[in-house]
Amino acid sequence: MKILVPVKRVIDYNVKVRVKADQTGVELANVKMAMNPFDEIAVEQALRIKEAGQADEVVLVSVGPTQSQETIRTGLAMGADRGIHIEAAHETEPLAVAKLLKAVIEREEPGLVLCGKQAIDDDSNQTGQMLSALLGWSQATFASGVELDGDKAKIIREVDGGLEHITVSMPTVVSVDLRLNEPRYASLPNIMKAKKKPIDSLSVEELGVDVTSRLQVLKVEEPEARAAGIKVGSVNELVEKLKNEAKVI
Amino acid sequence: MGILVICDHDGAALGAGTLNAVTAATQIGGDIDVLVAGHNIADIAKEAAAIDGVARVLTADSAELANGLAENVAPVIAGMADSYSHIMAPATTSGKNILPRVAAMKDVAQISDIISVEDAGTFKRPIYAGNAIATVKSDEALKIITVRTTSFEAAGTSGSAAIEAVDAAGDAGLSSFEKSELSSSERPELTSAGIVVSGGRGMQDGSNFAMLEKVADKLGAAVGASRAAVDAGFVPNDYQVGQTGKVVAPDLYIAVGISGAIQHLAGMKDSKVIVAINKDDEAPIFQVADYGLVADLFDAVPELETELN
């Protein structure tokens, strides 16, 4: 079985993002970029499944500018086998990404898609569910446990009140949550090896997908700042303020 | 054309987020229908019928819909979509699971996690973990939207909408529900509590959360945690407040031993009053706190409990 893992190039999660002065977006120039952290967890899970002998190939797909190949390379250094880069200069919305992934899946015919539950840039949390719908497959979102069992997968999902156990039929789209695993670091020999692994390039036109944006971003602005508060000297003073000033207890 | 709000529920009772989603729908304007999809949902439908501003409650009742599996629920919603200009759901794990599937079936974009309604097609939503706010506009005939519940007041519940049954689709045959492991607690639910007491890595150990629970019980508060505390195994994952956990906005949020990482702040900075107790006076949490106490939590928390007597 082949596992397909979509990976996205985003601003590194340690970077404090800054809104551009003209309010057209956030500053991306000279900012450290990295693989979306949830996607790293998806790559790690795919590798573990392969290492357990339940899959024979892990293929990474990234939609984005040319530099997205670096993100694919990161996943190849973790241990994935090959990459597919779909060149897209402007930002692609989740529905368009799902359609591009569907076109790739029709060519590659994987038995499992593992993706991050959301990208930490647009925070949409849509692509996996949309892809599953377009394929007519089952979906298992926010997974913190994945166990393959023949033509089924047993999934533990993180839901609002706790955990939920479901069984889905394969092929399936699984979107992964934070606690599924701890992604490995790439070793130096594997980083060297990754340089020789193949990355195919495909264009949006080749895949025949209309990626026109459906939404217009009118502006991007800073969130309202909270006014600075005060320091209190003791627990007694704190309780007094909460009772008499803030009146919340 | 009206608005369809998808009712959030656990099979037994109406999810509180539904009330906030109806308020967001009210701000858009137009007739509001609420869809309750599930099995044996008459009581939930009655609760939904009482929400102010709701014209009709539609019930899709069948065994396949019992556990809210997206593959079975999404076709029911998609089948009704052509009668509506907007389909909205609270951005709970259920809404986030189901609505993108509906959007893809209808070939429209989804606008996730809106925090304000500017007009019928324009909405604000947080991006980059709330570090930026985007204003987005949709010209599509159908707008599919999830609503950040903490950004909208809860609708009142003195209404009396009509309840009508609609056709429920069958089993997609793709997935099945096995069981849930829900955390049981006497305390209020994190996302709807008026007061939240949260602990971070500074708690040092899961057993120390008993101190916070005592304070929480004095205040009738829910107990939360930072991602660091959850990752360290102090408390289960459903305690997590933050961008990747639960977003809360109580009247009072007490952060104990929490440094204030961006991810955590994104989940609680809309709280009305924030208190931070931390021994590091440089901790970023103090930048958002209305009242900061620089103290060792192991002294301050028991003292707080005593003071509350």
Side-chain angles (χ1 to χ4, degrees), chain A residues 48-83:
Chain A
R48 290 185 188 189
I49 292 169
K50 187 186 165 191
E51 285 158 4
Q54 292 179 299
D56 22 64
E57 194 180 25
V58 175
V59 182
L60 309 180
V61 186
S62 191
V63 180
T66 312
Q67 297 93 317
S68 300
Q69 293 189 12
E70 295 164 16
T71 307
I72 294 175
R73 212 55 88 182
T74 305
L76 295 177
M78 287 171 72
D81 298 290
R82 63 186 170 91

Side-chain angles (χ1 to χ4, degrees), chain B residues 152-184:
Chain B
F152 297 88
E153 297 287 327
T157 51
S158 56
S160 55
I163 300 176
E164 295 171 23
V166 295
D167 283 341
D171 187 351
L174 293 168
S175 55
S176 56
F177 172 84
E178 306 297 340
K179 62 174 179 182
S180 17
E181 288 175 51
L182 301 183
S183 309
S184 57

